[in-house]
Each structure stands twice: as structure tokens, then as C-alpha cells.
Amino acid sequence: MARMTMIEAVRSAMDVSMGRDEDVVVFGEDVGYFGGVFRCTQGLQAKYGKTRCFDAPISESGIVGTAIGMAAYGLKPCVEIQFADYMYPAYDQLTQEAARIRYRSNGDFTCPIVVRMPTGGGIFGGQTHSQSPEALFTHVCGLKVIVPSNPYDAKGLLISAIEDPDPVMFLEPKRLYNGPFDGHHERPVTPWSKHELGDVPEGHYSIPIGKAEIRRKGSALTVIAYGTMVHVALAAVEETGIDAEVIDLRSLLPLDLETIVQSVTKTGRCVVVHEATLTSGFGGELVALVQEHCFYHLEAPVVRVTGWDTPYPHAQEWDYFPGPARVGRALTEAMEA
Amino acid sequence: MDEFSRLSLHVPEPAVRPGDQPDFSNVKIPKAGSVPRPEVDVEPETIRDLAYSIIRVLNREGEAVGPWAGLLSDEELLSGLRHMMQLRAFDARMLMAQRQGKTSFYMQHLGEEAVSCAFRRALRKGDMNFPTYRQAGLLIADDYPMVEMMNQIFSNERDPCHGRQLPVMYTSKEHGFFTISGNLATQYVQAVGWAMASAIKNDTGIAAGWIGDGSTAESDFHSSLVFASTYKAPVILNIVNNQWAISTFQGIARGGSGTFAARGLGFGIPALRVDGNDYLAVYAVARWAAERARRNLGPTLIEYVTYRVGAHSTSDDPSAYRPKTESEAWPLGDPVLRLKKHLILRGAWSEERHAQAEAEIMDAVIQAQKEAESHGTLHAGGRPSVRDIFEGVYAEMPPHIRRQRQKAGY
């Protein structure tokens, strides 16, 4: 067991996968010689050679499109989009090609690709380095969508994603790359080495896609979150003293509906938290599912805490980003309703 | 007073419109046999002229002339003629089947048969095409069963795509034919990726990407050239310039100067223009490009200069945007008639044998159609199961799709 940051865990997942399977290739902008702008691929080119880990032209559609072709050949490409904000030029390839190749060819061709991308805000990244586009992927049948919240999950889930026979979007919350985050921007990030979730096995292990994890047991209320917001939610629960159950979804598509339903049926109250904008965000889907499956157990309306329906501002970032104070107010509101 | 007048936008227009006399005076056609044949390891900068000329083998008299001639035997040419005739007969029957309501949609190849049929001959088993909807000749020329193609067109119970795809969007890994997308140009960069994978694995297969003249305006076309050029991918990048992108003439995607082939020059990719209605020329150029790819010399860009005689699809009416007689005025002729004339000149064919072959081929197509229709058409007979809607989205069906399938009663 080693102490790893999420960056190291992600790198370790690719390292382990490339070591086990010669068909795994890694490429993207700056990922080869330099090792990626966040260093997630550092050392992979030196270890596996420049035909298995290499730099790509600045063409996101080209990166995903060539990955699809490689997958059709029989490789397992794991590509990096430098920031989730830059995946839009590749959206056509992802949604209309990668997601549908198995279906439209009745399995004659498949598309086992992984598209990694740093996502979310909280690092003063402004409008073009802070977005959370997960809802744009969860709306697409044929894709899988993963957002880990800690190094252990990041490695186990990324290994599963690389081994998965279908296309997987792997969104890495960059605010968590070096340590967990409690929502208070004035406090320094606590390194993962001080947390047990920074304990990551060095070898191969995997975490099944589609299974949520309960991060905190509770009986009064259910908080549903993923990625960075899991940590914000835990801080808010601690600060309000409400006995809330905190579910870390880990996988948004497929979704662990069973865990959600069991929890909300038990608690009768629910708060959904995500960084992405409110309108048509993934939170809307979660609320609809809770309403469909838990209506007769609900004692209060389900509350959403999200980013605002505006582009991500630079200077006002910490008023945009849902912190423990906003989540705490929502918890109290749900309890008092 | 400002020294500059106000700006105005230039919007290209074709030379003629419905009611006008067809005019192809802008298509500069060199003499057959006049374009040199470079070695496959040539420096791309030294053959820039090939992106502006047109490689032709068959002359007006039906003779095969020049340095690109002499590559195919009588037997090979006869089978090539048969492939083109089969594709034309297949198109005629399926067009009629669509008009009879047996399917929703069809796209024919009339006038462009030589492009895909001749190209297929330059490929080997294990190579992969990433085609558009107008390269069914790749399947016909590889002896893919016509019944299977028709099952797909009719979306019947034997449809290899289980009713999920538009008609003519075939798939066959075995025959090197990647599943077709209706989204334009996406497959072009995928072809480059496949070729890169083959090179990464030190394999021997090469890839071919296909695109129409209009779709070269898509950004994926340019991404493809960047990746192919950067990694020297063993890929043949084909542009079928049939003059029309539905109703939009090729000048809209190309602009007022240059050629589509010339787009490859800025990337250092050897770029050739070829007479797309000349079976021998298409084969010769495809073989040249394939040899380059197989020798690890990298990509080649080929523009096929041809003409879409038929409508874009069964949903299109070309008489609304171009002169009705334009196809007859097309200066590069009909690919079937040109090869037929050449074979007769060689003494390997005759008008009688041609008429007989036409009848035999049509009979085979009709027999295949009868068999396919026995498995159902879009609105009658056997159909794919409703259960097939839910299968195959993922390798393993996730719970939410299972719930929806159960809700639908399956």
C-alpha cells in the first residue's frame, strides 16, 4: 500500500493497465514527453515507448476520432482531453460515433475507449478551465460516465474503465488532484497522505462501474454528491451536526439507483449537490428518480445545491462554487420543511 | 470621403442552373496517358502538379494508354465490369423497391461505380475501409452477399444491423467495411486512427478513409490530414468529388481556386487527382497509394473526379437545382460504357456478351431480392424484434435499460 495523490493514482492505473495489456495506448495533448499538464502521464512514455504514449496535435476531435479507429482495430486507447472544457470539439465523435458503434453495427465493431479529462472548478481556472460537463455525457446512451472523489476510487475505477468493453468518460475533479477539499477556499488543501483514502495499492485492482459508496452513514437525511462535492457535503454535515447519510455516486451512468432508493426510503429527506449549473443538470435526473421511486417516503421537497446558471466566473469563483455554507443551508432547509 | 468603398460578400455560384445549357468548360481534362507515374517513394513536393491534373488511362477510343496503363489482365477487367454492372443493377432494383414502399430510403451510385469497385481491387483481406453511404461497390467487389445488403435495406428479420440503421448503412468487419455513420466526415479521422493502430502493432493492414467533396468542409477532414501527416499513417484518404453535395455545387466547399486534392499539399501528403469514371485509372492510382502505405511511406490523398448522375438520395430532386441534361454532358463519360468499349477493343468482350451478362446479372439481383423479401420488408413480413431496440447499447445491459425493456413488455 502506498500513499498517493489522485494524480499519482490515475497515473498508476494507466501504468498498471499498460503493463498488463499491450493493447492499451495513451495519447493526448502534451501527455507524452512532458507527461501532461497535470503530470498524470509522467514517465509512461519513457517506460512504454513513444508508440504507446505520445503527444497529439491540438485537435480534440482528432484525438477521439483516431482513438475510435484504434479501438475498431482492436486497441484500447485511453486518451486525455487537456481540460473537460475542451471536449466540445470532440463531442460529435463521442456522442454520435463512440457511443453508437456497438449498437449500429450490432456488435460487429465496438469502441473500448476511455476519455480522461480534468473537470470542475475551485482552482481559479475561469470560464474555460472549470466546467463540469457530465450532464452532456449522461444524456447520451452508449457512454459510461465516472467521477471519482478520491485516489483509491480513481485508480480502481480507471482500471475498470480501461478494461471496459464500451466507451467511458472519466472526469477527474482537478480540485482533488492533490488532496481532499472541505469547501473552504482560504484553508490549504490537506494532502491525501494524511487521509486513509490516499492509501492506494500499487498493483492491479478494480472497482465495479455503477456502484455508489456510502461515505457517511446517517438516518435523518440523504445527501447525493460526486467528485469534489462529496467532500463539501461531508464538511457541511459535520458543521450542521445533522445526522445525514452521504452517498458518493462515483458512477453517474450507469447509476446505482438501488443505493439511492434504499437511503432516501430510510431517511425521507434528500439534498442533491453538484458543481455544474442547475438547469438541466444531472441533479434534475437524480431528483426525478427520487421522486419516482421514493415519493411516498419523502417528508420534504428534494433540494438541489449547484453552480449558478451562468458561465464560470474568475474573480467570483468562490461565490459560484457550492461550499459547505450553501450546502449546510440546504440541509437545514430540508430538515425544517 | 473614404478611399475604400463598402465591402460585399462573394457567394460562389455554379456556371448553370435548371433551364441553362450544361457547361463543363471549367473542368480541364488532360489527354489520357499524359500524366507521369512517379515512384511510390517520391518526395511529395516534386509531384505537386498531380494534385491539379487528372490521371487518365482510357482515351476516347477506348484504348489504355500512358504510364498508368497495363496493370490489369482481361480476366480482372471483366470481373471489374461485372462488379460495376452488378452495382448498377442492384441500385436500379433497390431504387424501385424504395418507390414501392419496401424501404424508407435509398442512395444509388449511378455514374460513380468505378470509384469503389476499382479501389477494392487494390486492397487485401485485413485492410479496412471507413466508407460513406456511396461506396457499396466495396462490398459488391468483395463478393459480399447481395441478400445481406438487401436484408439491411429492408430492415427485415435477417438484417445484420437488427433494424437499427438507415438503409444502405452497412457494416462488415469481415469484408473490411466499417459501420457507416450518417454524420459527415467522422469516419475519415477514424480511418487514420485504425491505420495508426496497425502501425503501432507492426501489423500489415492498411486503412482507407472516404469522404465526399462537400464534407471536406468539415473540421474532421482537416484533423484527419493533420494526424495522417504527423504520424505518417498507412492510410489512403479518398475524396469523391461528384460535383454535388445534395444541391450545393462543389465550389461552395472548395472555394474559387485549387482542387480538393491540393488540400493535401500543405500537409506534405502526396495528392493525386484521377478520372473517377476510368476503372483502369482508379485502380492504378489506388494501387500506387496502397503500395506507399504498405511500404510504410505514409498517407496518400486521392481526389476522384466524377459526376453524380442520380439524385443524392431518394429524398432529393436534382432537377430543382441543375440542368436535367447535365449528366449527359459530363465530359468523362460513363464508367461502365467506357470499360465495356475498352474490353471490346481488346477482343475480350462483345455487345452480345454484354447484353447477355446484363440479363444474367439482373436475374441474380432479382433472385436475391426475392430471397431477401421472403425475410420481410420495412412494412411487411418478418421484422427485427422490439427487444432488439434495447440490446447492444452496451456489452452488458445496465439496469436502467433493463427496466425500460421490461416496461415495454420485453
Side-chain angles (χ1 to χ4, degrees), chain A residues 135-147:
Chain A
L136 296 175
F137 303 131
T138 56
H139 193 56
V140 181
C141 45
L143 298 180
K144 295 183 178 179
V145 183
I146 293 173
V147 189

Side-chain angles (χ1 to χ4, degrees), chain B residues 371-389:
Chain B
E371 187 183 335
E373 288 189 13
S374 76
H375 303 303
T377 62
L378 183 60
H379 299 297
R383 337 175 28 189
S385 165
V386 175
R387 194 185 171 92
D388 283 325
I389 296 173

Side-chain angles (χ1 to χ4, degrees), chain B residues 170-227:
Chain B
Y170 315 104
T171 179
S172 176
K173 193 172 191 172
E174 195 192 336
H175 289 265
F177 195 94
F178 188 71
T179 163
I180 293 181
S181 172
N183 294 78
L184 301 176
T186 47
Q187 76 286 351
Y188 216 57
V189 70
Q190 293 162 9
V192 178
W194 194 99
M196 288 169 66
S198 184
I200 287 170
K201 297 300 281 184
N202 306 125
D203 207 342
T204 56
I206 64 170
W210 294 86
I211 201 167
D213 49 276
S215 302
T216 58
E218 293 278 11
S219 53
D220 273 353
F221 170 71
H222 303 270
S223 302
S224 309
L225 296 185
V226 172
F227 277 73

Side-chain angles (χ1 to χ4, degrees), chain A residues 68-70 72-73 97 101 104-105 108-109, chain B residues 114-144 169-181 186-195 198 205-211 234-240 282 286 289-290 294 300 302 304:
Chain A
I68 291 169
M70 288 182 196
Y73 173 89
E97 299 296 319
I101 281 166
R104 76 181 194 219
S105 71
D108 195 21
F109 294 93
Chain B
V115 175
S116 51
C117 289
F119 185 88
R120 186 65 190 81
R121 191 173 288 283
L123 296 184
R124 294 181 183 171
K125 193 163 180 60
D127 296 337
M128 185 63 70
N129 284 286
F130 288 75
T132 78
Y133 39 70
R134 221 181 299 280
Q135 276 89 45
L138 295 169
L139 289 172
I140 295 269
D142 199 44
D143 297 324
Y144 183 81
M169 300 213 175
Y170 315 104
T171 179
S172 176
K173 193 172 191 172
E174 195 192 336
H175 289 265
F177 195 94
F178 188 71
T179 163
I180 293 181
S181 172
T186 47
Q187 76 286 351
Y188 216 57
V189 70
Q190 293 162 9
V192 178
W194 194 99
S198 184
I206 64 170
W210 294 86
I211 201 167
V235 64
I236 306 172
L237 297 166
N238 297 303
I239 303 170
V240 182
V282 169
R294 290 190 210 290
T300 304
I302 305 173
Y304 303 86

